């Protein structure tokens, strides 16, 4: 009997965490097909990993964007449901059973869990996400506007209808845009009352370009899905914030970054990402 669910793990230079992630999957879900999508392949490590976990597949891809890595995993798996997740997410024995349950409703395209930190606290994804946490009933599910890309369970047929993640959003905002697109097509995204641990930020470089990309991607979403008045307020708010932060910043690099953001919003040039062919330094 073919499995209902496959798992795509997106990995970037956190080998110890990846092995811990795989250990849990092997313990709780030994029959699920797993593919590791590696955006910074280390041949020695991957050979050792393949020897330890003989059933998993490994894809070596360029470090273009998180979205591109997710899409590679989606293409590789042929199961009706696919879990795409970060390598620093640790599932529990009941995680996928809880996340799969709502898919009896054909309108459900995606489900996602509650994230807690390594210290057991609810992870911060912004004030609206925190409000969703408060609204969610124990053992319940809640329709939401978007679900964090740290772990999403998606219906393959829904992805076939709207496409995968948008890889023009090079880092951040890709999970938000994907959910908006699914909802625009008539599907639902549900937050489910089941907890997983997400260490968060384990492989994110401390680079100004990631901050610039975050602001750029947020505005791209406003341009696609928000009314004119919202877009106008969005631009006004970011320009004011960027100018203030550039003025009060102590470090020269911080001033330069916020001046770049201010210029981007003043000139309304949101098509050009600050990254080249990869997210790596020096491109």
């Amino acid at each position: 009997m073919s499995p209902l669910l496959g798992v795509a793990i997106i990995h970037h230079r956190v080998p110890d965490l990846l092995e811990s992630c795989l250990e849990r999957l092997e313990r709780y879900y030994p029959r699920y097909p797993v593919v590791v999508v590696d955006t910074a392949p280390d041949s020695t490590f991957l050979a050792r990993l393949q020897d330890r976990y003989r059933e998993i597949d490994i894809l070596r891809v360029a470090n273009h964007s998180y979205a591109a890595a997710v899409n590679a995993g989606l293409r590789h798996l042929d199961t009706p449901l696919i879990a795409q997740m970060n390598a620093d997410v640790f599932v529990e024995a009941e995680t996928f059973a809880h996340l799969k349950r709502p898919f009896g409703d054909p309108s459900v395209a995606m489900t996602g869990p509650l994230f807690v930190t390594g210290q057991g606290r609810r992870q911060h994804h912004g004030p609206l996400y925190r409000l969703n946490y408060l609204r969610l009933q124990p053992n319940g599910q809640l329709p939401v506007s978007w679900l964090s890309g740290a772990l999403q369970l998606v219906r393959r047929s829904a992805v076939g209808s709207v496409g995968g993640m948008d890889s023009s959003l090079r880092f951040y905002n890709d999970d938000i845009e994907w959910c908006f697109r699914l909802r625009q097509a008539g599907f639902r995204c549900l937050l489910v009352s089941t907890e997983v641990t997400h260490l968060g930020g384990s492989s994110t470089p401390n680079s100004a370009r990631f901050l610039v990309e975050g602001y750029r991607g947020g505005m791209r979403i406003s341009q696609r899905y928000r009314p004119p008045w919202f877009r106008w307020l969005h631009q006004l708010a970011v320009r004011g914030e960027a100018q203030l932060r550039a003025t009060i910043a102590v470090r020269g690099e911080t001033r330069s970054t916020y001046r770049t953001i201010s210029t981007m919003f003043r000139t309304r040039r949101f098509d050009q990402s600050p990254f080249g062919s990869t997210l790596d330094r020096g491109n």
Side-chain angles (χ1 to χ4, degrees):
M1 183 176 178
S2 299
L4 176 67
L5 173 65
V7 182
I9 304 173
I10 314 306
H11 174 244
H12 185 80
R13 294 176 180 164
V14 286
D16 292 342
L17 297 180
L18 174 60
E19 291 193 80
S20 296
C21 176
L22 287 169
E23 285 171 5
R24 283 178 172 254
L25 289 172
E26 182 182 55
R27 184 190 321 159
Y28 299 137
Y29 308 103
R31 294 183 178 85
Y32 289 172
V34 174
V35 57
V36 172
V37 184
D38 199 308
T39 58
D42 179 303
S43 296
T44 302
F45 167 69
L46 293 182
R48 178 166 60 85
L49 195 71
Q50 191 79 78
D51 186 62
R52 167 66 178 82
Y53 299 97
R54 295 183 180 275
E55 300 301 318
I56 69 170
D57 293 331
I58 296 175
L59 296 181
R60 296 165 171 82
V61 300
N63 190 25
H64 174 273
S65 58
Y66 186 78
V70 168
N71 293 341
L74 295 177
R75 289 191 297 269
H76 185 81
L77 295 165
D78 59 3
T79 50
L81 299 177
I82 300 172
Q84 75 80 15
M85 59 188 288
N86 289 356
D88 60 355
V89 170
F90 303 145
V91 299
E92 303 297 337
E94 69 279 0
T95 298
F96 289 138
H98 290 172
L99 292 178
K100 287 191 301 182
R101 194 172 298 148
F103 284 93
D105 180 347
S107 72
V108 175
M110 181 185 292
T111 59
L114 305 174
F115 295 99
V116 298
T117 67
Q119 293 73 42
R121 294 189 294 269
R122 289 284 168 85
Q123 196 162 52
H124 180 62
H125 294 288
L128 293 180
Y129 222 88
R130 180 174 295 176
L131 179 60
N132 289 336
Y133 278 2
L134 295 174
R135 293 169 57 210
L136 182 63
Q137 297 296 314
N139 302 314
Q141 56 193 41
L142 180 71
V144 293
S145 59
W146 68 279
L147 293 163
S148 168
L151 169 56
Q152 298 169 325
L153 190 60
V154 296
R155 189 190 299 271
R156 170 171 291 284
S157 59
V159 175
S161 296
V162 307
M165 276 192 174
D166 182 356
S167 59
S168 74
L169 301 173
R170 300 292 297 278
F171 206 86
Y172 306 123
N173 298 295
D174 40 17
D175 47 4
I176 299 175
E177 194 280 334
W178 203 14
C179 292
F180 279 21
R181 194 163 7 113
L182 285 165
R183 292 173 59 244
Q184 194 175 61
F187 294 106
R188 294 197 299 157
C189 301
L190 300 180
L191 183 65
V192 177
S193 182
T194 190
E195 290 187 350
V196 299
T197 300
H198 179 213
L199 299 187
S202 304
S203 61
T204 304
N206 182 20
S207 169
R209 295 177 301 168
F210 287 84
L211 184 62
V212 174
E213 174 63 20
Y215 279 91
R216 184 190 78 90
M219 190 62 214
R220 293 291 287 159
I221 290 176
S222 284
Q223 289 177 321
R224 296 176 190 177
Y225 300 104
R226 300 298 194 184
W229 64 266
F230 188 99
R231 297 196 297 268
W232 180 80
L233 286 176
H234 188 166
Q235 291 187 57
L236 186 66
V238 172
R239 286 184 63 182
E241 178 193 4
Q243 290 169 4
L244 176 62
R245 288 180 179 270
T247 300
I248 65 176
V250 175
R251 297 175 62 236
E253 182 182 3
T254 303
R255 286 197 300 273
S256 176
T257 299
Y258 279 103
R259 284 170 181 163
T260 297
I261 293 169
S262 178
T263 299
M264 177 172 61
F265 275 75
R266 176 174 51 80
T267 60
R268 301 183 181 182
R269 299 184 64 178
F270 304 110
D271 292 332
Q272 186 64 44
S273 169
F275 299 106
S277 58
T278 80
L279 303 183
D280 298 319
R281 289 184 179 276
N283 61 65

